[in-house]
Amino acid sequence: MRRYEEVDVVKAAEVYFKKFDIRSLLTEILIKLGREQPQDPVNAIRAQLDAKLAKQDRTGPHDIEHLPSCSSPVVPDADEEHDADDTLLQVDLLQLLIYENFPAKGNAGENLSRRMAWAGGFNRSVMENWVPQPSPCCACASVAGAFNALWQLERASPNSCAIREVADLMAANCEQLQLQKQQRLERLLSLPEGAFEEFYDSLDEELQRKGLSWTGRGAKGVTKATAISTARQVANQFGQSPSCFDDGFCQKASAVMAVSEPGCKDQSHEALSPETLPPAARQALPSGRSDIFEALREVLGEDNAQAPGEAEENEEQEEIHLLPHEGLNWKKELSELLSKRQGVLRLRAERPNTADVGSFGVRQAAEQLAIARKTEPIKVTTLLARKGSVKSIGAPLTKSDTEAEVHKQWCLLKTAFSTPSCVLLFHLTNHYALVFAWREWQDAQDTEHAPCLRRQILTARRGQRPGAWMDFEEVRRILLGWTGYHLLSLRRVRSSEPAREVAGSLCQDPPSAQ
């Protein structure tokens, strides 16, 4: 009787395993376990199960609305910066700290905790709540991930911050800068407010005719060189004197005249101008169209721009005709205006691009995000940066820093990292990413030399996935390489405590090994 009961149990188990696909799941995990052969197989199995469960949770119906993509999924180009998927780094966080390489990649390397001195720390909220990057929008993704980490919001949460929310804030800020720049140029050119809108329309049409787009990539994208050269072409095309109208203008004017003035005779190109047209035909043509174009043609000079693809550095050295405002670099002024407009269009695109956003834009968006959400404020400070790059740097960096000064800078980073309700955001080479962890250990050297202290932070060189242990020496080289690179501290200012600067205290003594 017991034998039949055992058979029934086995059959029921087979049906159960087949229904929930448990057998293939366990087989996959065991095969991977046998291939990698980790030192702690129990934790490895647990990590694999957690990965599968996390994937099932993300594919549930509640997650569709809150995925960090901006709209319907679009497959990015192979060379486009993005995260391949939104899975977490599925490893034990302690193993992540102690092993030289990433355990999930098969070759974990040396166990650094066996050194004579080792220490490290991670931010679990940042690890679990970072936002995947679906396009080249690292600034938006890192700010969204920082906000979710500060408030411990899971991505599936209805209150989590998504990339589009941050991109809209950045676009509004960039648009405000564009408007200020535009109004300034309109005043200098004695043009009415909003005169540039007509120029934008003609410029967009010409770029589209050339197969170029403000939000395009590669050969189809608009560069500073192509933007200014096309602007010159448009200004020269529509800013000509009344006696030099092209055939398109003449044909359009003649067509209008034929309808509005049936008895009117055809006129030659030389005599055709807005002043010579009948009232009905003149009203049908764009009113005041020549003002903005004539003004730009006058300040930009003739169309001698470089061909697309030439170095913009050489273009900046090109002679510029400065007629009404001697001493003002009009090409540079117009290039800055068009760059800000391009930034707005890129941020509002279906797949946002934050290439035009600097550290100031990140700071501004993070602080405005808290205001828009009506939450406790976010205080953004510059923790590390090159001396003189910005005001109020927690620890200014110079190339002549002594080892003691470098040690203070490292201690400041660790102090800020371990501060409650604080997240670090790194503006590194052409990228923004969060700081997920830090670690340090002593490297054994020859007996003639003292042990060398290795210091590293965990961040991301591409996308937002934690994937790169970076030596602090490299962090310093990046920050010293350009005034626009900074290590920022984003701190949630709780209502029960005063807003204090994290950068105010420096660690004076060497850290004790743990």
Side-chain angles (χ1 to χ4, degrees), residues 315-350:
E315 186 203 13
E316 292 294 338
Q317 299 174 3
E318 179 186 342
E319 182 181 359
I320 300 169
H321 302 278
L322 306 173
L323 300 179
H325 300 282
E326 205 66 41
L328 188 63
N329 190 330
W330 279 97
K331 191 181 69 168
K332 180 179 179 182
E333 295 285 340
L334 183 61
S335 179
E336 292 176 353
L337 173 64
L338 296 179
S339 293
K340 289 179 172 57
R341 183 169 182 264
Q342 184 177 31
V344 175
L345 296 174
R346 283 175 168 177
L347 286 165
R348 288 181 174 156
E350 183 180 12

Side-chain angles (χ1 to χ4, degrees), residues 13 27 65 92 117 127 163 186 202 237 243 245 247 279 288 295 314-315 405 418 423 447 450 468 503:
T27 301
E65 183 180 356
D92 183 88
M127 282 283 195
I163 287 175
E186 289 170 346
S202 298
Q237 179 181 356
S243 61
F245 286 94
D247 293 337
N314 295 333
E315 186 203 13
E405 291 169 331
S418 60
V423 171
T447 55

Side-chain angles (χ1 to χ4, degrees), residues 84-105:
D85 53 63
D86 61 349
T87 58
L88 294 174
L89 187 64
Q90 296 298 337
V91 297
D92 183 88
L93 296 184
L94 290 178
Q95 291 186 359
L96 181 67
L97 288 179
I98 65 176
Y99 282 103
E100 183 180 9
N101 304 319
F102 287 89
K105 294 183 178 180

Side-chain angles (χ1 to χ4, degrees), residues 391-444:
K391 296 181 179 179
S392 303
I393 304 174
L397 276 59
T398 67
K399 293 182 179 180
S400 59
D401 287 337
T402 63
E403 179 56 35
E405 291 169 331
V406 173
H407 171 68
K408 289 181 180 180
Q409 296 159 8
W410 173 248
C411 289
L412 174 62
L413 185 153
K414 293 192 300 179
T415 301
F417 185 90
S418 60
T419 300
S421 302
C422 182
V423 171
L424 301 186
L425 195 157
F426 189 15
H427 184 186
L428 61 156
T429 308
N430 299 325
H431 191 55
Y432 290 93
L434 299 174
V435 177
F436 299 87
W438 66 270
R439 66 185 183 184
E440 60 184 3
W441 71 94
Q442 286 186 352
D443 262 344

